[in-house]
């Protein structure tokens, strides 16, 4: 089976390809010569993921999935959420986003937060959603140099190291994205056995 992952992120494509059996081949947007940025302008992760998957399905007719992720902070009523990538502004860096987050949370005692990934799949014309979350908290100073995004300030529950301090391979076993991917894979494997 060939399945499109509606992303240009080579790391994400490699990550999921490694988890898959040989009978499913993952293609990225670059393999389909889709070079434009697919808009992510909806107000929920679900809508963004579905929009991206449909966008590629409508252009190619292929089976496709897309993901969208947000950091949801309890004391900020779920912000930055779907706006995580552009929290401090459209062309701002990961560091600017962390800066804004720490500013908004200054003095907060309830620092609970979760990463949430939603994957939308269009398979044989039907649509499916999968979700993966990891619970944790936002610490008040950056720690570690690995990972990306909000990793230096995110401490997963039960861990004393941030996502930027633990090895990538370990992060990839417990992360929101890994959990959502795992659900997608289980679904695909069941379908393949039908
Ligand atoms: P995307 O939907 O995967 O592009 O993620 C949107 C934004 O969420 C990214 O730009 C990051 O700011 C944040 N994010 C997503 N995944 C992670 C992660 O694993 N660690 C830290 N930040 C993340």
């Amino acid at each position: 089976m060939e399945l499109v992952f509606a992303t240009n992120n080579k790391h994400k494509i490699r990550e999921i390809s490694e988890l898959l059996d040989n009978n499913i081949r993952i293609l990225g947007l670059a393999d389909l010569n889709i070079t434009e940025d697919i808009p992510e302008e909806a107000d929920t992760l679900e809508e963004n993921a579905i929009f991206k998957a449909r966008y590629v399905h409508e252009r190619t007719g292929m089976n496709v999935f897309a993901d969208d992720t947000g950091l949801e902070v309890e004391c900020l009523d779920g912000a930055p959420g779907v706006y995580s990538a552009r929290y401090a502004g459209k062309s701002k860096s990961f560091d600017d986003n962390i800066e804004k987050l720490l500013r908004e949370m200054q003095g907060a005692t309830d620092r609970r937060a979760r990463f949430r990934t939603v994957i939308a799949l269009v398979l044989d014309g039907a649509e499916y959603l999968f979700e993966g979350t990891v619970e944790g908290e936002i610490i008040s100073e950056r720690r570690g140099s690995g990972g990306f995004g909000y990793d230096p300030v995110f401490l997963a529950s039960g861990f004393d190291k941030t996502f930027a301090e633990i090895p990538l391979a370990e992060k990839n076993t417990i992360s929101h994205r890994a959990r959502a991917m795992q659900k997608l894979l289980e679904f695909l494997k069941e379908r393949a056995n039908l």
Side-chain angles (χ1 to χ4, degrees), residues 46-164:
E46 285 78 1
E47 285 171 288
N48 271 343
I50 288 172
F51 182 88
K52 284 190 281 184
R54 280 186 193 153
Y55 183 99
V56 175
H57 177 69
E58 280 160 14
R59 276 157 187 78
T60 63
M62 295 181 74
N63 291 324
V64 49
F65 67 94
D67 72 332
D68 200 26
T69 295
L71 173 70
E72 300 174 340
V73 178
E74 204 67 31
C75 68
L76 300 178
D77 294 327
V82 70
Y83 308 108
S84 294
R86 50 201 149 111
Y87 190 38
K90 227 174 175 181
S91 53
K92 299 289 185 176
S93 65
F94 288 143
D95 209 49
D96 295 327
N97 288 336
I98 291 182
E99 201 62 47
K100 176 167 180 189
L101 181 68
L102 295 182
R103 209 169 46 240
E104 297 286 332
M105 291 183 71
Q106 214 160 28
T109 48
D110 178 1
R111 306 193 68 91
R112 286 173 298 158
R114 83 179 59 81
F115 278 116
R116 192 163 73 91
T117 294
V118 172
I119 292 179
L121 169 71
V122 180
L123 185 70
D124 301 333
E127 295 179 351
Y128 307 88
L129 286 176
F130 305 90
E131 184 191 79
T133 58
V134 58
E135 303 286 335
E137 64 180 281
I138 302 298
I139 57 171
S140 52
E141 280 175 5
R142 296 166 177 78
R143 272 171 28 195
S145 54
F148 71 101
Y150 299 90
D151 280 346
V153 290
F154 185 79
L155 207 57
S157 300
F159 284 73
D160 57 7
K161 289 183 175 161
T162 67
F163 266 6

